[in-house]
Amino acid sequence: MLTSVPRGLVLDSDKDADTGATNLAKAIQDAVAPDAATVLKDAGFVAGYQRSWADADQAQHDVVFLYQFATPAGAARYVTSRVSELQSLNSQQLSPFPVLIAGAAALHNETATSSFGVVVSPKGVYVVEAVSTDASTLNQSLNAVALANAQLQRLP
Protein backbone atom coordinates (compact mmCIF):
# COMPACT_ATOMS: atom_id res chain seq x y z
CA MET A 1 0.00 0.00 0.00
CA LEU A 2 1.22 3.48 -0.82
CA THR A 3 2.76 5.49 2.00
CA SER A 4 3.02 8.77 0.06
CA VAL A 5 1.22 10.28 -2.91
CA PRO A 6 2.53 11.97 -6.06
CA ARG A 7 1.20 15.40 -5.15
CA GLY A 8 2.80 15.34 -1.70
CA LEU A 9 -0.22 15.46 0.58
CA VAL A 10 0.05 14.40 4.24
CA LEU A 11 -1.04 10.90 5.26
CA ASP A 12 -4.19 10.94 7.42
CA SER A 13 -4.25 8.66 10.45
CA ASP A 14 -6.44 5.60 9.96
CA LYS A 15 -8.42 6.54 13.07
CA ASP A 16 -9.20 10.07 11.88
CA ALA A 17 -9.93 9.10 8.26
CA ASP A 18 -11.78 5.83 8.99
CA THR A 19 -9.27 4.00 6.82
CA GLY A 20 -7.04 0.95 7.22
CA ALA A 21 -7.86 -2.72 6.83
CA THR A 22 -11.21 -3.26 5.10
CA ASN A 23 -13.46 -6.26 5.54
CA LEU A 24 -16.63 -6.95 3.54
CA ALA A 25 -18.86 -4.95 5.90
CA LYS A 26 -16.62 -1.87 5.63
CA ALA A 27 -16.36 -2.19 1.84
CA ILE A 28 -20.17 -2.34 1.61
CA GLN A 29 -20.48 0.73 3.84
CA ASP A 30 -17.95 2.70 1.78
CA ALA A 31 -19.49 1.78 -1.58
CA VAL A 32 -22.79 3.42 -0.55
CA ALA A 33 -24.73 1.82 -3.44
CA PRO A 34 -27.90 -0.07 -2.45
CA ASP A 35 -26.65 -3.28 -4.10
CA ALA A 36 -23.04 -3.00 -2.85
CA ALA A 37 -23.26 -6.21 -0.81
CA THR A 38 -24.42 -8.23 -3.81
CA VAL A 39 -21.83 -6.66 -6.14
CA LEU A 40 -18.91 -7.26 -3.78
CA LYS A 41 -19.97 -10.81 -2.87
CA ASP A 42 -20.64 -11.79 -6.51
CA ALA A 43 -17.23 -10.44 -7.52
CA GLY A 44 -15.59 -12.56 -4.82
CA PHE A 45 -14.34 -9.85 -2.42
CA VAL A 46 -11.58 -11.22 -0.17
CA ALA A 47 -10.07 -8.26 1.70
CA GLY A 48 -9.07 -4.65 1.30
CA TYR A 49 -7.20 -1.65 2.58
CA GLN A 50 -7.81 2.08 2.37
CA ARG A 51 -5.52 5.02 2.83
CA SER A 52 -6.17 8.78 2.77
CA TRP A 53 -4.02 11.91 2.37
CA ALA A 54 -4.92 15.60 2.58
CA ASP A 55 -3.45 19.07 2.76
CA ALA A 56 -3.65 21.12 5.97
CA ASP A 57 -7.03 22.70 5.21
CA GLN A 58 -8.53 19.55 3.62
CA ALA A 59 -8.97 21.39 0.29
CA GLN A 60 -6.98 18.69 -1.53
CA HIS A 61 -7.67 15.07 -0.75
CA ASP A 62 -6.45 11.74 -2.20
CA VAL A 63 -7.86 8.33 -1.28
CA VAL A 64 -6.79 4.86 -2.42
CA PHE A 65 -8.99 1.80 -2.04
CA LEU A 66 -7.14 -1.47 -2.67
CA TYR A 67 -9.38 -4.53 -2.83
CA GLN A 68 -8.48 -8.17 -3.41
CA PHE A 69 -10.89 -10.57 -5.13
CA ALA A 70 -10.87 -14.35 -5.45
CA THR A 71 -10.19 -14.25 -9.21
CA PRO A 72 -9.02 -11.79 -11.87
CA ALA A 73 -12.43 -12.16 -13.56
CA GLY A 74 -14.13 -11.07 -10.32
CA ALA A 75 -11.82 -8.05 -10.06
CA ALA A 76 -12.64 -7.03 -13.65
CA ARG A 77 -16.38 -7.45 -12.96
CA TYR A 78 -16.08 -5.25 -9.90
CA VAL A 79 -14.42 -2.46 -11.92
CA THR A 80 -17.37 -2.38 -14.33
CA SER A 81 -19.90 -2.42 -11.49
CA ARG A 82 -18.06 0.20 -9.44
CA VAL A 83 -17.86 2.66 -12.32
CA SER A 84 -21.60 2.22 -12.96
CA GLU A 85 -22.27 2.82 -9.25
CA LEU A 86 -20.19 6.01 -9.24
CA GLN A 87 -22.05 7.33 -12.26
CA SER A 88 -25.50 6.54 -10.85
CA LEU A 89 -24.82 7.79 -7.30
CA ASN A 90 -23.37 11.14 -8.26
CA SER A 91 -25.74 14.08 -8.47
CA GLN A 92 -23.24 15.82 -10.76
CA GLN A 93 -22.59 14.43 -14.23
CA LEU A 94 -19.31 12.50 -14.29
CA SER A 95 -17.46 12.50 -17.58
CA PRO A 96 -15.25 9.61 -18.67
CA PHE A 97 -11.70 10.40 -19.69
CA PRO A 98 -9.14 8.23 -21.48
CA VAL A 99 -6.51 6.51 -19.39
CA LEU A 100 -3.69 4.29 -20.62
CA ILE A 101 -4.05 1.61 -17.94
CA ALA A 102 -5.23 -1.82 -19.08
CA GLY A 103 -8.82 -2.51 -18.04
CA ALA A 104 -9.19 0.81 -16.20
CA ALA A 105 -12.07 3.24 -16.28
CA ALA A 106 -11.78 6.90 -15.32
CA LEU A 107 -14.25 9.66 -14.52
CA HIS A 108 -14.04 13.33 -13.58
CA ASN A 109 -16.21 16.32 -12.74
CA GLU A 110 -15.64 19.99 -12.09
CA THR A 111 -18.14 22.35 -10.49
CA ALA A 112 -17.92 26.01 -9.46
CA THR A 113 -16.54 24.97 -6.05
CA SER A 114 -14.81 21.61 -6.43
CA SER A 115 -13.28 19.03 -8.71
CA PHE A 116 -13.10 15.25 -8.65
CA GLY A 117 -11.20 12.55 -10.54
CA VAL A 118 -11.30 8.80 -10.08
CA VAL A 119 -9.56 5.86 -11.74
CA VAL A 120 -10.77 2.30 -11.08
CA SER A 121 -8.40 -0.35 -12.36
CA PRO A 122 -7.95 -4.11 -12.05
CA LYS A 123 -4.55 -5.78 -11.81
CA GLY A 124 -4.81 -9.55 -11.50
CA VAL A 125 -6.96 -10.26 -8.43
CA TYR A 126 -6.67 -6.65 -7.22
CA VAL A 127 -8.66 -3.50 -7.87
CA VAL A 128 -7.29 -0.03 -7.22
CA GLU A 129 -9.70 2.88 -6.89
CA ALA A 130 -7.78 6.16 -6.79
CA VAL A 131 -9.70 9.34 -5.97
CA SER A 132 -8.39 12.91 -6.11
CA THR A 133 -10.52 15.86 -5.03
CA ASP A 134 -9.81 19.57 -4.78
CA ALA A 135 -11.74 22.62 -3.59
CA SER A 136 -11.03 24.31 -6.91
CA THR A 137 -12.17 24.00 -10.50
CA LEU A 138 -8.88 22.42 -11.61
CA ASN A 139 -9.42 19.10 -13.40
CA GLN A 140 -8.25 16.26 -11.13
CA SER A 141 -7.89 13.66 -13.90
CA LEU A 142 -4.09 13.73 -13.99
CA ASN A 143 -3.83 13.53 -10.19
CA ALA A 144 -6.14 10.51 -10.13
CA VAL A 145 -4.12 8.78 -12.88
CA ALA A 146 -0.81 9.46 -11.09
CA LEU A 147 -2.27 8.13 -7.85
CA ALA A 148 -3.61 4.97 -9.52
CA ASN A 149 -0.31 4.34 -11.31
CA ALA A 150 1.67 4.78 -8.09
CA GLN A 151 -0.47 2.15 -6.34
CA LEU A 152 -0.61 -0.23 -9.31
CA GLN A 153 3.21 -0.26 -9.55
CA ARG A 154 3.37 -1.63 -6.01
CA LEU A 155 1.24 -4.68 -6.82
CA PRO A 156 2.61 -8.04 -7.97
Side-chain angles (χ1 to χ4, degrees):
M1 191 74 197
L2 283 177
T3 55
S4 63
V5 292
R7 64 178 174 163
L9 302 176
V10 177
L11 179 63
D12 291 324
S13 76
D14 286 343
K15 181 181 177 194
D16 291 340
D18 191 25
T19 54
T22 303
N23 60 20
L24 180 60
K26 174 82 166 99
I28 291 167
Q29 171 192 330
D30 291 339
V32 181
D35 65 344
T38 301
V39 168
L40 285 157
K41 288 176 187 176
D42 288 351
F45 179 86
V46 174
Y49 203 91
Q50 304 169 20
R51 195 160 268 169
S52 174
W53 299 261
D55 64 356
D57 62 1
Q58 300 288 312
Q60 297 179 330
H61 196 203
D62 285 352
V63 180
V64 171
F65 298 85
L66 174 61
Y67 290 167
Q68 181 180 4
F69 293 86
T71 65
R77 255 192 334 276
Y78 179 74
V79 168
T80 301
S81 295
R82 181 63 180 151
V83 170
S84 293
E85 287 173 2
L86 289 168
Q87 289 173 316
S88 68
L89 292 173
N90 254 296
S91 60
Q92 302 292 328
Q93 177 64 35
L94 297 178
S95 301
F97 66 91
V99 60
L100 299 175
I101 302 172
L107 304 166
H108 72 99
N109 176 264
E110 293 80 37
T111 69
T113 59
S114 67
S115 54
F116 166 88
V118 60
V119 174
V120 185
S121 178
K123 184 172 183 184
V125 296
Y126 298 99
V127 171
V128 170
E129 181 176 336
V131 181
S132 288
T133 61
D134 196 310
S136 75
T137 58
L138 298 174
N139 186 325
Q140 295 302 298
S141 300
L142 292 178
N143 287 330
V145 171
L147 186 59
N149 275 325
Q151 181 60 59
L152 288 164
Q153 289 173 7
R154 297 179 65 98
L155 297 176

